[in-house]
Amino acid sequence: PCVAAVETQGHWLAIVSDERQRSDQKPHSQLSFHSLLCCSSGKMALHKTPIPLRVAHRAQHLLQAIALDKRHIAIISDGPHPKSKQNAPHTSLQKSDKLLPLPDNMNRATYIEVLTRRGQRIGLQYLPMRIDQVIKTAKLYQLLALDCYDTGSILCIDLKPFRLQRFVLDIQPRFLA
C-alpha cells in the first residue's frame, strides 16, 4: 500500500510506502522520489535513498501526498491526538460545570509533514482536527480540506506562513475539486 504524488510539470514522482501491515519488520513509512524525465538534461536533484517519515508510520491512515511545487511535497496523515489524555481539560468538552471526555472518534488529529525533493524536512504541522479530503489550490502553498468533525465547513490551510481558516457553509460538502 502506498500514496503517490506527481509534480505539476511531470518531472518527478514521489511515493510514500506504507509498511505498517508487514509483520516481518518494524512498522515504518518511507518516501522515495523517482524521475519521470526520459532524458536527464535538466539535472534535477532528487534524493536517491528512501527517507523515513516521522509521523506517517504512526498514522491510522496515510491520507495523501501532494506535490506543492517543483521542490516541495506535503505528506498528510492522521494520527493520535498529541494531547489525548482523558482527564486533561483541553481534551474535554465542557457542559455546565462538568468536564466530559472527548468521544473516541475525536481523539485523532492531522499531521502535515513537508519535505524537499532532496529529502530535507522543512516542517511538521499538527492540526487539532481530522481532515478527510485535501486538494491544492491555485495559490502556492495553500490547501483546501474537509473537516471530519465539522462537516458543514471547509478548511483553508496556508502552509507558508502557516494559517488555518474555517469557512462555514450552508451545505455539507462531499468532495472538493
Side-chain angles (χ1 to χ4, degrees):
C2 68
V3 293
V6 177
E7 186 263 333
T8 17
Q9 302 291 317
H11 294 190
W12 51 263
L13 166 73
I15 298 175
V16 180
S17 64
D18 184 11
E19 301 291 333
R20 295 173 298 160
Q21 278 65 25
R22 295 184 60 174
S23 59
D24 60 338
Q25 59 184 330
K26 184 179 174 182
H28 68 282
S29 292
Q30 57 187 13
L31 172 67
S32 58
F33 289 95
H34 307 277
S35 177
L36 296 177
L37 298 174
C38 42
C39 56
S40 58
S41 61
K43 292 283 187 183
M44 183 165 293
L46 295 173
H47 200 271
K48 303 293 183 210
T49 60
I51 305 157
L53 297 173
R54 293 181 182 170
V55 174
H57 74 278
R58 291 179 294 202
Q60 185 175 5
H61 300 103
L62 286 173
L63 296 176
Q64 212 164 337
I66 298 175
L68 299 172
D69 60 12
K70 64 182 180 177
R71 293 185 179 96
H72 300 93
I73 184 166
I75 311 300
I76 302 163
S77 58
D78 80 338
H81 198 293
K83 301 173 182 175
S84 64
K85 296 175 184 164
Q86 288 292 341
N87 297 327
H90 48 74
T91 61
S92 301
L93 299 173
Q94 189 167 0
K95 185 175 183 180
S96 305
D97 292 338
K98 297 180 181 180
L99 290 176
L100 303 172
L102 285 174
D104 287 339
N105 64 347
M106 292 183 77
N107 281 334
R108 309 294 302 165
T110 301
Y111 296 88
I112 302 174
E113 194 168 0
V114 179
L115 296 99
T116 67
R117 69 171 187 245
R118 294 182 181 177
Q120 180 184 8
R121 283 184 176 80
I122 300 297
L124 174 64
Q125 193 63 48
Y126 150 78
L127 303 177
M129 70 271 306
R130 196 171 68 110
I131 57 177
D132 183 23
Q133 292 181 38
V134 184
I135 62 167
K136 183 173 74 167
T137 68
K139 184 177 174 186
L140 202 56
Y141 307 116
Q142 186 180 66
L143 306 172
L144 281 182
L146 296 179
D147 187 350
C148 291
Y149 299 151
D150 184 6
T151 57
S153 66
I154 292 180
L155 300 172
C156 181
I157 306 164
D158 287 308
L159 298 173
K160 186 178 176 184
F162 182 76
R163 181 176 54 171
L164 181 67
Q165 292 179 302
R166 179 181 304 274
F167 296 104
V168 179
L169 306 174
D170 292 335
I171 61 168
Q172 278 190 343
R174 298 282 183 222
F175 64 91
L176 298 172

